[in-house]
Amino acid sequence: MEEKKLDINSIIGFVLLFGIMIWYLYQSQPTPEELEAQKQAETEKIAAEQKAKQEAEALSTKVTTAEDYSNASATDSLQQVALQNELGAFAYASTLPSATDAVTEVETDVLALKFNNKGGYLSEVKLKAFVDHNDAPIYLVKDGNSNFNINFSTTDNRVLNTENLYFQPTITKSGDNTVVSMKLKVSETRYLEYRYELKPSDYMIDFAIKSQGLDNVVNSSQEINLDWKLKGYSHDQSISYENRYTRLTYQHDGDKIDKLAQMNDDEEVVTDVYWLSYRQHFFSSILVPDSPLTSVSMSSKDLVKDEEVDSVYTKLYASKMPLTLSGGEFNKSMGMYYGPTDAKILKEYDKNLEESIPFGWGIFGWINKAVFIPLFGFLSGFLPYGIAIIVMTVLVKILLSFVQYKQFLSQAKMKILKPELDAIRAKYKDNKLKAQQETMALQNKAGASPLSGCLPGLMQIPVFYALFMFFPTAFDLRQKSFLWADDLSSYDSIAELPFSIPFYGDHVSLFPILAAIAIFFYMKMTTGQQTAMQGPPQEGMPDMSKMMKYMIYFSPLLMLVFFNNYASGLSLYYFISNLISIGIMLVIKNYIIDEEKVLAKIEVSKSKPKKQNRFQKKMADMMEQAEKQKQMQQRNRKK
């Protein structure tokens, strides 16, 4: 095969050809004038293309807008018809710019409020001065837990609820007060109005329901009802403990104060209602009409079935109250209180609202209102709250020290008479009734009736129960600390348990333990002395000595278990009270009562003729009759 080679002539040919091409390209390039002309032509071309595009877009937009307008007009017309069919005259309110779920926010010195356009009611109430046990703000109304609605009929046979209708908000000033007006309009001059007037440092909101030009719109011949519902938020450490003091309370028929059930579901229809309180332990939502409500259908539902699961809400309150029109128009004024359940604040309104606080019934409530509340208010005005409790305890024990003196004196007399009483029981061991008669006669002569020690002791019961109600409801104690207790109105936990013990809880409180120890030693001292004075149990009667021995252990155990979840201020009181009682008893026993002098007085008393009182005479007659019946039965048996 012949080999191909690139010769010199070929190379020269390629070089000449490349040179010719370069020369041709150089000669073919446009001149500067030609380049400028080309550039101008290109610019004009681009401008023409953009103009054509814009004209096309304008034409397209014009056509589209016309179509949309036509469609929108048709849609609006359909919506208008639908609103008119559903709402009648009130359809106008839904066409206004305010027909949204927007809120109006207003603040005073003590309240932060939100008013919802839809429904026109308060959708949020925050108490600015308080926090809960986790330092979170206190809200009485928030996240749909409250409902305030008027249900009414119209003259064109529609049934409407204000909660579904849109109000138009406006805010104005009246002096230092802020006025929030929420208007549900049927036209610019005809409307239903919720008027809220807020004072700078006041928890009471002046509220009015008024209307203008609705006399031919609202059907006054049909029932008109105001519905008010509220689910109470939990704010304390223990929702179960808090729930005991969460209750619907109301005043009716003049000055009568009543409540729905404390821990169960309950409902009631009440007439002539002066105010209605949804109490949430230390905070309350209260409706106070200017004139009594003719009738209120109210209910309370307990929402705490399991503390581990039900940890947000305590109770669901609901009230329905009829509204009457005046001249075909709404015109009802009332106060709306959102604030602390504090007796001092509630008393300022002169509406008897402080009676919504459970001070106790009868004499127990009177003792709290007349003695303990003023006394504690005075002491806590210049002393730390824990020290104020201790000082109040000392004053109460000093006041009641004469009761302990009477009890101990009675015990001393019975101890001195014990040998003679034992001799009577031995002498008449076969005749129990005769033994009782002789025993009563001896005690009567000596002035040593067992009742003389019991009756003074009964005087302490009203004080005990009054304080039992005072400490859990004393607002001043809320979140006040003392020693290891962070909150004297709640339990003083020193240890958290990994499990929950029935009736005891999932924590250990220290003050109940100290109080239980003090009660044990006090009862050990008093019960031991009483047991030593008692003889053998009488026929048909329980053995009191055994019962007293059981009580030595049962009472401290009850304190330990029951008070573990109770207000630590109350446990502190009982701890100090029993320590003082032990001290008073030791002083009376060792330095005041002289048994030799008591014996001398008994001997003098025995030597004097003693007239029986009516009770003693009646008891003696009954025993004498029983003795005669027994003797007759014995004779009949012998026959």
Side-chain angles (χ1 to χ4, degrees), residues 342-354:
D342 187 343
K344 295 191 298 294
I345 295 175
L346 294 175
K347 199 169 185 178
E348 292 176 358
Y349 297 106
D350 197 26
K351 297 284 188 179
N352 213 26
L353 300 181
E354 66 275 10

Side-chain angles (χ1 to χ4, degrees), residues 321-339:
M321 53 210 85
L323 295 177
T324 56
L325 301 185
S326 176
E329 302 287 355
F330 288 91
N331 188 17
K332 185 66 177 178
S333 298
M334 60 189 74
M336 303 175 75
Y337 178 88
Y338 293 99

Side-chain angles (χ1 to χ4, degrees), residues 308-487:
E308 297 297 322
V309 178
D310 306 318
S311 58
V312 179
Y313 302 107
T314 52
K315 285 186 173 68
L316 169 61
Y317 299 123
S319 298
K320 184 195 311 189
M321 53 210 85
L323 295 177
T324 56
L325 301 185
S326 176
E329 302 287 355
F330 288 91
N331 188 17
K332 185 66 177 178
S333 298
M334 60 189 74
M336 303 175 75
Y337 178 88
Y338 293 99
T341 314
D342 187 343
K344 295 191 298 294
I345 295 175
L346 294 175
K347 199 169 185 178
E348 292 176 358
Y349 297 106
D350 197 26
K351 297 284 188 179
N352 213 26
L353 300 181
E354 66 275 10
E355 292 298 326
S356 64
I357 303 174
F359 294 127
W361 56 271
I363 189 174
F364 311 114
W366 182 87
I367 292 173
N368 272 328
K369 286 181 281 188
V371 180
F372 292 127
I373 292 176
L375 176 60
F376 186 76
F378 169 74
L379 294 173
S380 60
F382 60 91
L383 293 173
Y385 286 90
I387 301 299
I389 291 175
I390 294 174
V391 173
M392 186 172 77
T393 308
V394 173
L395 294 176
V396 171
K397 294 306 293 184
I398 290 175
L399 182 65
L400 296 177
S401 59
F402 79 96
V403 175
Q404 279 192 280
Y405 173 77
K406 287 287 187 182
Q407 286 180 302
F408 201 87
L409 180 61
S410 176
Q411 292 173 6
K413 288 181 178 180
M414 294 297 292
K415 180 180 178 182
I416 292 169
L417 290 175
K418 188 175 186 303
E420 295 183 61
L421 294 174
D422 289 342
I424 291 173
R425 295 188 188 102
K427 183 178 179 180
Y428 300 102
K429 62 180 179 179
D430 297 326
N431 192 336
K432 303 297 184 182
L433 289 175
K434 185 64 175 177
Q436 283 189 342
Q437 287 179 323
E438 294 297 321
T439 297
M440 289 182 63
L442 176 62
Q443 291 172 345
N444 185 41
K445 287 182 179 180
S449 172
L451 293 177
S452 63
C454 295
L455 292 176
L458 294 175
M459 295 175 61
Q460 297 184 78
I461 294 178
V463 174
F464 178 91
Y465 184 78
L467 288 167
F468 184 80
M469 297 301 296
F470 168 75
F471 282 101
T473 58
F475 187 84
D476 287 342
L477 290 178
R478 183 180 181 271
Q479 296 184 344
K480 301 302 189 300
S481 61
F482 179 66
L483 299 178
W484 56 85
D486 295 326
D487 187 347

Side-chain angles (χ1 to χ4, degrees), residues 113-136:
L113 308 172
K114 290 184 180 179
F115 302 85
N116 202 317
N117 286 11
K118 189 174 184 179
Y121 61 93
L122 276 165
S123 59
E124 187 171 295
V125 177
K126 174 185 173 183
L127 305 183
K128 297 170 67 174
F130 306 101
V131 294
D132 66 11
H133 65 100
N134 288 321
D135 291 330

Side-chain angles (χ1 to χ4, degrees), residues 148-150 209 224-228 319-321 323 334:
F148 194 88
N149 172 61
I150 296 178
I209 304 172
I224 302 173
N225 290 308
L226 171 62
D227 294 322
W228 180 34
S319 298
K320 184 195 311 189
M321 53 210 85
L323 295 177
M334 60 189 74

